[in-house]
Amino acid sequence: MNIKRKFGYLTTIVLASSIALTACGQDGTSGSGGAASGGNAAVDNLPAALAEKGDIKINVIRKIGGDDHTAQFLAGAKQEGESLGFTVDTFTANGDTAKFLDALDQAANGDYDGVVISHGDDPATVEAVKKLTDKGIPVVAFDSVGDLSSVEGVTLTSQDDEALAQFALDQLVKEQGEEAKIVYLWVDGFPPMVRRNTVYQATLAKYPGIKELERFGVANANTSVETQNAVAAMLAKYPKGEIDAIFATWDAFASGAARALVEAGRTEIKIYGIDVSNADLQLMQEENSPWVATAAVDPKMIGAVNLRLLAKKLAGEETPATYNLEAALIDQETLNKSAEPVNMVTLADIIPGWGTTDAFLEDWMKSLKEANAK
């Protein structure tokens, strides 16, 4: 949608009592006298840099995929952008590095005004982002390699991974004790996983009685299924009583592990995870579910905040170099207090502040949303 055209039309409606109806039609299609002119009180705060751009086209490119978290992240970014009148394309490479880098290259050579990336984790990502910024295309990067901080103008965002890991591990120790025997589901190579592992190692140092029995993990389009198979095979090595808990650093790990435990009748083993989705909440609320707690940030909100940051860059406004989104703990006991099944929307009824934030939501964005909703 052309921002100037949209608001030029709205301005015409406001002035309809004093100008001819034909003039209204002309102004509505020409895009002149719109938001940049300040003729409409609802949009006169639109930054000039944004008003001058006309149509805004955004690309959201994520390396990992195949999970509900990815779907919600992309949906959140797309919904937020479209509410501002932008065109938003989304793409997930499902863990394929070549496809991810190719998508970044296409964005640099296409007609995009800005790009959000997610989970870029290698030096090639840094070079690809440099190519984008060298062409004047602003970039916001979620859960991506820290070396992107060397690229001028890029904002690095993340969930508060340290808090996520700490919430989950504290709950594990609280419920399973300081001598728990645990399995660690984790995969190296991703910035958020590295940060979560740092907290995990610190927890082991703090509680030397905790015993890690096994650790494994893969990140691909079939992570949940492969985790389920791996956990099922592992259970044969450990009779009942020999594993107390599983710490799963990703909900794709936790969901696969939960299915394996249920199918094997081993729900005495409890799962403490990270991340959440509707499917995860359903699993946690099933009778005798072994998944008893997960720490998370609303993935849809993450997508929305990243899009707002990009919009501020397009508007020529100052943005931070880094930003962490606040985490929360969701435990089975709290979920079970609800009279109705809890989903990602109704989670806000039991977790104060869940899924909502005014972070980087500027007044001019509110004006755009109001205008585009009409």
Side-chain angles (χ1 to χ4, degrees), residues 35-302:
S37 71
N40 185 287
V43 297
D44 61 4
N45 57 352
L46 188 70
L50 196 61
E52 291 168 0
K53 291 180 182 296
D55 290 338
I56 301 293
K57 191 173 180 182
I58 305 299
N59 202 350
V60 183
I61 304 170
R62 184 158 163 127
K63 185 171 184 178
I64 64 171
D67 61 306
D68 201 14
H69 191 280
T70 293
Q72 291 181 67
F73 170 84
L74 295 177
K78 187 175 182 68
Q79 180 177 316
E80 190 72 4
E82 291 181 345
S83 75
L84 298 173
F86 301 168
T87 297
V88 182
D89 294 334
T90 64
F91 174 79
T92 173
N94 288 321
D96 189 313
T97 298
K99 288 182 179 179
F100 176 70
L101 294 174
D102 182 62
L104 291 176
D105 187 64
Q106 289 186 43
N109 293 316
D111 58 351
Y112 291 102
D113 298 284
V115 174
V116 173
I117 74 166
S118 175
H119 292 82
D121 59 352
D122 56 14
T125 298
V126 179
E127 293 306 312
V129 169
K130 283 181 180 177
K131 183 177 179 181
L132 286 162
T133 58
D134 285 347
K135 292 192 172 186
I137 301 172
V139 175
V140 176
F142 171 64
D143 268 2
S144 295
V145 61
D147 288 345
L148 283 171
S149 61
S150 66
V151 183
E152 186 176 357
V154 173
T155 294
L156 290 172
T157 66
S158 66
Q159 302 180 92
D160 190 337
D161 291 293
E162 291 81 5
L164 289 170
Q166 200 67 66
F167 277 142
L169 287 165
D170 285 350
Q171 191 75 0
L172 187 158
V173 174
K174 175 184 175 182
E175 296 183 354
Q176 303 302 324
E178 297 179 12
E179 297 184 352
K181 300 180 289 293
I182 68 174
V183 172
Y184 182 38
L185 302 184
W186 173 78
V187 61
D188 201 356
F190 296 92
M193 291 294 180
V194 173
R195 292 190 289 268
R196 295 169 192 180
N197 184 61
T198 298
V199 176
Y200 174 70
Q201 297 303 329
T203 300
L204 293 184
K206 182 178 180 180
Y207 303 106
I210 293 178
K211 183 179 181 181
E212 181 189 295
L213 302 174
E214 303 269 354
R215 75 163 63 186
F216 51 84
V218 295
N220 58 34
N222 298 307
T223 293
S224 185
V225 172
E226 291 196 24
T227 302
Q228 180 178 350
N229 294 337
V231 171
M234 179 199 68
L235 292 174
K237 297 166 54 180
Y238 299 95
K240 285 188 176 182
E242 293 192 12
I243 302 176
D244 296 311
I246 293 174
F247 175 42
T249 53
W250 183 16
D251 63 338
F253 293 152
S255 60
R259 288 193 296 270
L261 294 179
V262 169
E263 289 184 4
R266 296 293 300 276
T267 56
E268 83 282 359
I269 301 171
K270 304 307 179 184
I271 299 172
Y272 300 81
I274 292 178
D275 293 334
V276 72
S277 69
N278 279 317
D280 298 341
L281 289 171
Q282 183 176 340
L283 270 173
M284 291 180 70
Q285 293 172 90
E286 289 178 356
E287 187 175 358
N288 297 321
S289 171
W291 192 349
V292 295
T294 195
V297 179
D298 182 3
K300 192 172 183 181
M301 185 181 73
I302 297 171

